[in-house]
Short mmCIF file of all heavy atoms in Angstrom, two decimals:
data_model
loop_
_atom_site.label_atom_id
_atom_site.label_comp_id
_atom_site.label_asym_id
_atom_site.label_seq_id
_atom_site.Cartn_x
_atom_site.Cartn_y
_atom_site.Cartn_z
N THR Z 1 8.06 0.32 -10.97
CA THR Z 1 7.67 0.90 -12.26
C THR Z 1 6.74 2.09 -12.11
O THR Z 1 6.72 2.96 -12.97
CB THR Z 1 6.99 -0.16 -13.14
OG1 THR Z 1 5.89 -0.71 -12.42
CG2 THR Z 1 7.96 -1.26 -13.51
N ALA Z 2 5.97 2.16 -11.04
CA ALA Z 2 4.95 3.21 -10.88
C ALA Z 2 5.39 4.33 -9.95
O ALA Z 2 4.60 5.20 -9.63
CB ALA Z 2 3.66 2.59 -10.38
N GLY Z 3 6.62 4.33 -9.49
CA GLY Z 3 7.11 5.39 -8.63
C GLY Z 3 6.97 5.14 -7.15
O GLY Z 3 7.37 5.96 -6.33
N SER Z 4 6.39 4.00 -6.75
CA SER Z 4 6.30 3.66 -5.33
C SER Z 4 6.34 2.14 -5.18
O SER Z 4 6.07 1.40 -6.12
CB SER Z 4 5.03 4.22 -4.70
OG SER Z 4 3.90 3.62 -5.27
N PHE Z 5 6.69 1.70 -3.99
CA PHE Z 5 6.74 0.28 -3.71
C PHE Z 5 6.33 0.03 -2.27
O PHE Z 5 6.27 0.94 -1.45
CB PHE Z 5 8.12 -0.32 -4.00
CG PHE Z 5 9.22 0.18 -3.11
CD1 PHE Z 5 9.58 -0.53 -1.97
CD2 PHE Z 5 9.91 1.35 -3.40
CE1 PHE Z 5 10.60 -0.08 -1.15
CE2 PHE Z 5 10.92 1.81 -2.59
CZ PHE Z 5 11.28 1.09 -1.46
N ILE Z 6 6.04 -1.23 -1.97
CA ILE Z 6 5.63 -1.66 -0.64
C ILE Z 6 6.69 -2.59 -0.10
O ILE Z 6 7.21 -3.44 -0.81
CB ILE Z 6 4.27 -2.37 -0.68
CG1 ILE Z 6 3.18 -1.38 -1.11
CG2 ILE Z 6 3.92 -3.00 0.66
CD1 ILE Z 6 1.84 -2.02 -1.34
N ILE Z 7 7.01 -2.43 1.19
CA ILE Z 7 7.96 -3.32 1.86
C ILE Z 7 7.18 -4.31 2.71
O ILE Z 7 6.35 -3.90 3.53
CB ILE Z 7 8.95 -2.54 2.74
CG1 ILE Z 7 9.82 -1.63 1.88
CG2 ILE Z 7 9.81 -3.50 3.56
CD1 ILE Z 7 10.79 -0.78 2.68
N ARG Z 8 7.43 -5.60 2.49
CA ARG Z 8 6.87 -6.63 3.36
C ARG Z 8 7.87 -6.84 4.49
O ARG Z 8 9.01 -7.23 4.26
CB ARG Z 8 6.62 -7.92 2.59
CG ARG Z 8 5.44 -7.78 1.63
CD ARG Z 8 5.12 -9.06 0.92
NE ARG Z 8 6.09 -9.24 -0.16
CZ ARG Z 8 6.54 -10.40 -0.57
NH1 ARG Z 8 6.13 -11.51 0.00
NH2 ARG Z 8 7.41 -10.48 -1.55
N LEU Z 9 7.44 -6.55 5.70
CA LEU Z 9 8.34 -6.60 6.85
C LEU Z 9 8.69 -8.03 7.23
O LEU Z 9 7.84 -8.93 7.19
CB LEU Z 9 7.69 -5.92 8.05
CG LEU Z 9 7.41 -4.43 7.90
CD1 LEU Z 9 6.65 -3.92 9.10
CD2 LEU Z 9 8.69 -3.66 7.71
N PRO Z 10 9.96 -8.28 7.63
CA PRO Z 10 10.35 -9.61 8.09
C PRO Z 10 9.79 -9.87 9.49
O PRO Z 10 9.30 -8.95 10.16
CB PRO Z 10 11.88 -9.53 8.11
CG PRO Z 10 12.18 -8.09 8.30
CD PRO Z 10 11.08 -7.34 7.60
N GLU Z 11 9.83 -11.10 9.93
CA GLU Z 11 9.29 -11.49 11.23
C GLU Z 11 9.88 -10.65 12.37
O GLU Z 11 9.18 -10.32 13.31
CB GLU Z 11 9.57 -12.97 11.51
CG GLU Z 11 8.76 -13.90 10.63
CD GLU Z 11 7.27 -13.78 10.84
OE1 GLU Z 11 6.82 -13.61 11.99
OE2 GLU Z 11 6.54 -13.83 9.83
N LEU Z 12 11.14 -10.29 12.25
CA LEU Z 12 11.82 -9.50 13.28
C LEU Z 12 11.14 -8.17 13.54
O LEU Z 12 11.10 -7.69 14.66
CB LEU Z 12 13.28 -9.26 12.84
CG LEU Z 12 14.15 -8.39 13.72
CD1 LEU Z 12 14.51 -9.15 14.98
CD2 LEU Z 12 15.39 -7.97 12.99
N LEU Z 13 10.56 -7.57 12.50
CA LEU Z 13 9.98 -6.23 12.62
C LEU Z 13 8.46 -6.19 12.48
O LEU Z 13 7.88 -5.11 12.49
CB LEU Z 13 10.61 -5.31 11.56
CG LEU Z 13 12.12 -5.11 11.66
CD1 LEU Z 13 12.62 -4.29 10.49
CD2 LEU Z 13 12.49 -4.44 12.96
N LYS Z 14 7.79 -7.34 12.40
CA LYS Z 14 6.33 -7.36 12.19
C LYS Z 14 5.56 -6.76 13.35
O LYS Z 14 4.54 -6.14 13.15
CB LYS Z 14 5.85 -8.77 11.93
CG LYS Z 14 6.10 -9.18 10.51
CD LYS Z 14 5.16 -10.22 10.06
CE LYS Z 14 5.56 -10.51 8.64
NZ LYS Z 14 4.67 -11.18 7.87
N ASN Z 15 6.02 -6.94 14.58
CA ASN Z 15 5.29 -6.47 15.74
C ASN Z 15 5.74 -5.09 16.20
O ASN Z 15 5.33 -4.63 17.26
CB ASN Z 15 5.42 -7.47 16.89
CG ASN Z 15 4.80 -8.80 16.54
OD1 ASN Z 15 3.81 -8.85 15.81
ND2 ASN Z 15 5.38 -9.88 17.02
N VAL Z 16 6.55 -4.42 15.40
CA VAL Z 16 7.05 -3.10 15.74
C VAL Z 16 6.13 -2.06 15.12
O VAL Z 16 5.72 -2.19 13.97
CB VAL Z 16 8.50 -2.91 15.21
CG1 VAL Z 16 9.01 -1.52 15.48
CG2 VAL Z 16 9.42 -3.96 15.84
N ALA Z 17 5.81 -1.02 15.88
CA ALA Z 17 4.96 0.05 15.35
C ALA Z 17 5.70 0.79 14.25
O ALA Z 17 6.91 1.03 14.35
CB ALA Z 17 4.59 1.01 16.48
N GLU Z 18 4.97 1.16 13.19
CA GLU Z 18 5.60 1.85 12.06
C GLU Z 18 6.24 3.16 12.48
O GLU Z 18 7.20 3.61 11.87
CB GLU Z 18 4.58 2.10 10.94
CG GLU Z 18 4.29 0.89 10.11
CD GLU Z 18 3.49 1.21 8.87
OE1 GLU Z 18 3.17 2.40 8.64
OE2 GLU Z 18 3.18 0.28 8.12
N GLU Z 19 5.72 3.80 13.54
CA GLU Z 19 6.27 5.08 13.99
C GLU Z 19 7.70 4.95 14.51
O GLU Z 19 8.44 5.93 14.53
CB GLU Z 19 5.39 5.69 15.09
CG GLU Z 19 3.98 5.97 14.69
CD GLU Z 19 3.08 4.75 14.79
OE1 GLU Z 19 3.21 3.97 15.75
OE2 GLU Z 19 2.24 4.58 13.89
N SER Z 20 8.08 3.77 14.95
CA SER Z 20 9.43 3.59 15.49
C SER Z 20 10.41 3.01 14.47
O SER Z 20 11.52 2.67 14.82
CB SER Z 20 9.39 2.70 16.73
OG SER Z 20 9.00 1.40 16.39
N LEU Z 21 9.99 2.93 13.19
CA LEU Z 21 10.88 2.45 12.14
C LEU Z 21 11.39 3.62 11.31
O LEU Z 21 10.64 4.54 10.99
CB LEU Z 21 10.16 1.46 11.22
CG LEU Z 21 9.79 0.12 11.84
CD1 LEU Z 21 8.97 -0.70 10.85
CD2 LEU Z 21 11.03 -0.65 12.24
N ASN Z 22 12.66 3.55 10.95
CA ASN Z 22 13.30 4.56 10.11
C ASN Z 22 13.80 3.87 8.85
O ASN Z 22 14.38 2.80 8.92
CB ASN Z 22 14.45 5.21 10.87
CG ASN Z 22 14.98 6.43 10.17
OD1 ASN Z 22 14.22 7.15 9.52
ND2 ASN Z 22 16.26 6.68 10.30
N ILE Z 23 13.59 4.51 7.67
CA ILE Z 23 14.02 3.93 6.41
C ILE Z 23 15.16 4.75 5.83
O ILE Z 23 15.14 5.97 5.87
CB ILE Z 23 12.85 3.83 5.40
CG1 ILE Z 23 13.30 3.14 4.12
CG2 ILE Z 23 12.25 5.19 5.11
CD1 ILE Z 23 12.18 2.76 3.19
N ASN Z 24 16.19 4.04 5.35
CA ASN Z 24 17.31 4.66 4.64
C ASN Z 24 17.42 4.00 3.27
O ASN Z 24 17.38 2.78 3.16
CB ASN Z 24 18.63 4.44 5.37
CG ASN Z 24 18.69 5.22 6.66
OD1 ASN Z 24 18.18 6.32 6.76
ND2 ASN Z 24 19.32 4.64 7.66
N ILE Z 25 17.56 4.82 2.24
CA ILE Z 25 17.79 4.33 0.89
C ILE Z 25 19.12 4.88 0.42
O ILE Z 25 19.33 6.10 0.46
CB ILE Z 25 16.65 4.73 -0.08
CG1 ILE Z 25 15.32 4.17 0.42
CG2 ILE Z 25 16.96 4.22 -1.49
CD1 ILE Z 25 14.12 4.53 -0.43
N ILE Z 26 20.01 3.99 0.02
CA ILE Z 26 21.38 4.35 -0.37
C ILE Z 26 21.58 4.00 -1.83
O ILE Z 26 21.25 2.88 -2.25
CB ILE Z 26 22.40 3.62 0.52
CG1 ILE Z 26 22.15 3.98 1.98
CG2 ILE Z 26 23.82 3.94 0.11
CD1 ILE Z 26 22.86 3.10 2.96
N SER Z 27 22.12 4.93 -2.60
CA SER Z 27 22.35 4.69 -4.03
C SER Z 27 23.55 3.78 -4.22
O SER Z 27 24.31 3.50 -3.29
CB SER Z 27 22.58 6.01 -4.76
OG SER Z 27 23.82 6.57 -4.37
#
């Protein structure tokens, strides 16, 4: 509703540095 959101990472990706994650959003 406010133009941004937060992703809670699953256990698989919790110990991964954010710099090595890539996000894709598909309509």
Side-chain angles (χ1 to χ4, degrees):
T1 55
S4 65
F5 66 95
I6 295 173
I7 296 178
R8 289 184 282 147
L9 296 175
E11 290 297 321
L12 176 73
L13 299 175
K14 280 206 180 196
N15 297 327
V16 176
E18 282 191 1
E19 300 84 39
S20 66
L21 291 175
N22 191 33
I23 184 169
N24 291 325
I25 301 178
I26 301 166
S27 69

